[in-house]
Amino acid sequence: MQVIKHPDKSEWKSLLARPTFDTSSLNDTVSRILTDIRQEGDAAVLRYGEMFDKAVLKELRVTLPEINEAANLLSEDLKEAIHVAAKNIEKFHVSQKFETKKIETTPGVICWQKAVGIEKVGLYIPGGSAPLFSTVLMLAIPAKIAGCKEIILCTPPDKDGNINPAILYAAKMAGATSIFKVGGVQAIGAMAYGTATVPKVYKIFGPGNQYVMAAKQLVSLRDVAIDMPAGPSEVQVIADETANAAFIAADLLSQAEHGADSQVILTTTSEKVIEQVLSEIQVQLALLPRKEIAEKALKHSKAILLKNNEDIIELTNEYAPEHLIIETADYIQLAQQVVNAGSVFLGNYTPESAGDYASGTNHTLPTNGYAKAYSGVNLDSFIKKITFQEISREGIQNLGKTIEVMAENELLYAHKNAVTLRLK
């Protein structure tokens, strides 16, 4: 990690820049694949699956026997862990249910909203170097609570054409209605356009590599909604001398191991904390199976020494981290000043991995500074709200003049007439 001491505020923008990689050919490649899928359907999906996943498939849909067999391939400990996590995720997201309230804005004018689940949603679950069965729970559970009628799940198979059994087990338990052996750009295209086998959906959710993210953004221009713009994972830790250096190092490495393009940031007012954490990172890094990946991420990660907590909070809100961990004596006070972050973890005993798996909050979060404008996935992500209004004869008499005056001044006389006729 780079160590930066007391940077001037004029340097913050460049200092907080996310890592960039050469993606000059990325959009052309993604666009070509999407065009083929739109035109050829299943044939293109199968062809690209063989090209990228090295899997020769006859059928894209996962069969019921395959789903049922998954339970036999998992340890009892893992199944129990999935159940505990699912229960907490369900409890937290159920608490977000919208309550309809009828409001009388003017005597005789009643307005209200109704929350309706998006009928068809598509979930993309990465299944390569790290099969994210936890993401199945994070997406399918709120979709089911929201009342989505079709919950389509796409995930890449291995070279033998099999799906990771933990993904299948979680999908069945969480309520996915159909599962398909489709990964990468071809999965996004299949769900956006629909094929003979894969249904078209109205909104696509889920993380992925740069190609998947580019595909999601391209199809969102006119064909389907997406959860949010997203990119490589990131975490920022705010720490003081009351924090445990081993805990901080573990929190930073938990994100660094996601991918070479991940970024981790340590912010503190203590040089001692930086020294202790950097030392501890080396100890823990040596023991990680994904050491090489984490090392690459650490090359563009930073430990930043600042003068006071005011500067730390200002820098934090500018960075807008996907994950923010506050390990300080006054973490509640600091947390109250945070306005830009995806998800915040408070105190020495709240690791980011708790939110990734089992505390109940959702781990699908805005990255790359999008936390300034976007929320993480929540129950509302799977819901649309329809407004209703009912106006009585008394109500149109009370409000009619206002509408007439506004319509006339916008030169929209048919709008005015729609009210005038009723007033007569």
Side-chain angles (χ1 to χ4, degrees), residues 311-330:
D311 281 353
I312 287 179
I313 290 298
E314 186 177 346
L315 182 141
T316 299
N317 286 325
E318 176 59 31
Y319 184 58
E322 176 190 19
H323 307 99
L324 174 63
I325 302 172
I326 308 180
E327 299 184 52
T328 64
D330 57 347

Side-chain angles (χ1 to χ4, degrees), residues 90 93-94 97 117-118 121 123 136-151 170-177 379 382-383:
E90 180 180 19
H93 288 79
V94 163
K97 280 189 174 181
I118 297 171
V121 296
L123 316 182
V136 177
L137 304 178
M138 296 291 175
L139 299 179
I141 289 173
K144 186 176 180 180
I145 294 169
C148 301
K149 293 179 180 178
E150 288 189 52
I151 304 173
K172 179 183 178 182
M173 189 182 67
T177 55
L379 190 63
F382 296 88
I383 286 172

